[in-house]
Amino acid sequence: MAACPTVALLDYGLGNVHSAAKALEAAGADVQLTAERAAVMDADGLVVPGVGSMAACMAGIQGIRGGELIGRRLAGGRPVLGICVGMQVLFTTGEEGGGPTPGLDEWPGTVRRLQADILPHMGWAQVDAPEDSALFAGLRDERFYFVHSYAATEWSIAPHPRVRQPRVTWAEHGERFIAAVENGPLSATQFHPEKSGEAGIRLLQNWVRGL
């Protein structure tokens, strides 16, 4: 029997780590909660969790030099998955907290407060995924669980004829926002797969199978 893919769950002091670990294990991964450099670099996949504000998450990530670890993995084509605020930190900047917070700038864009009558956006919602999405394979009509007030609402990477285009999934709460991105080795979801029941486990299975 083949060994389970190894997944490092980045331990930087914030994030729904215990639920995420259980969901990843249910999806078929051998999970280690760690900030140790060798473990992060050697794992088949890295998951960056996140709850709370982008500023707090960025402070925690910087405290363990997590941006460098994420960047080195991506430079080597090694898979990384961001969840909720773990997705938001991948953009250039965030506005939560009254001032700009620099992100990891893997993707251009600003994470800003949603223009909606009711915030936070909390509960189950459907998403609009591309037909060729790997994350959402077999999950076309499923709903996923969101808890957030801020999101990226624009995708500004211009198409290039020689580069496979990122697959961007959208959802809506007051306005359209980015619900997930698949961009080479870097993927992320604004919703919480670990809180999304069977659909969330199946989405994580799709990611784990690609490691």
Side-chain angles (χ1 to χ4, degrees):
M1 180 180 295
C4 295
T6 59
V7 171
L9 185 58
L10 190 64
D11 184 9
Y12 62 93
L14 291 169
N16 194 27
V17 292
H18 298 297
S19 295
K22 289 180 180 179
L24 286 161
E25 289 168 354
D30 180 4
V31 182
Q32 180 180 5
L33 177 63
T34 183
E36 199 275 320
R37 184 183 185 87
V40 170
M41 296 306 299
D42 291 344
D44 295 316
L46 172 66
V47 171
V48 183
V51 296
S53 73
M54 181 170 164
C57 287
M58 279 302 304
I61 289 171
Q62 290 169 339
I64 62 164
R65 300 177 68 181
E68 178 184 341
L69 297 175
I70 293 167
R72 285 184 176 273
R73 281 192 63 92
L74 295 175
R78 309 293 305 284
V80 175
L81 174 67
I83 293 176
C84 195
V85 187
M87 170 176 173
Q88 295 179 4
V89 299
L90 299 170
F91 287 90
T92 304
T93 189
E95 295 182 348
E96 190 171 5
T101 295
L104 298 176
D105 201 23
E106 294 293 340
W107 297 320
T110 298
V111 176
R112 62 173 181 80
R113 187 177 177 87
L114 288 171
Q115 300 299 307
D117 292 336
I118 298 174
L119 290 174
H121 173 213
M122 182 164 57
W124 298 82
Q126 285 189 305
V127 301
D128 182 13
E131 292 289 340
D132 62 346
S133 169
L135 278 182
F136 293 92
L139 298 169
R140 178 64 51 189
D141 298 319
E142 298 290 348
R143 296 162 69 87
F144 299 89
Y145 193 82
F146 292 83
V147 183
H148 66 117
S149 297
Y150 289 75
T153 57
E154 297 180 356
W155 184 257
S156 58
I157 295 180
H160 190 287
R162 296 183 181 178
V163 177
R164 182 171 184 174
Q165 296 308 300
R167 288 165 285 187
V168 181
T169 293
W170 298 85
E172 187 165 340
H173 182 73
E175 61 181 318
R176 270 168 58 90
F177 65 88
I178 297 173
V181 179
E182 299 160 75
N183 182 201
L186 181 57
S187 299
T189 65
Q190 178 61 66
F191 56 84
H192 286 274
E194 76 279 8
K195 295 182 180 180
S196 297
E198 181 62 27
I201 299 298
R202 288 166 58 196
L203 181 139
L204 291 174
Q205 285 176 334
N206 287 340
W207 182 72
V208 169
R209 288 169 181 156
L211 298 179

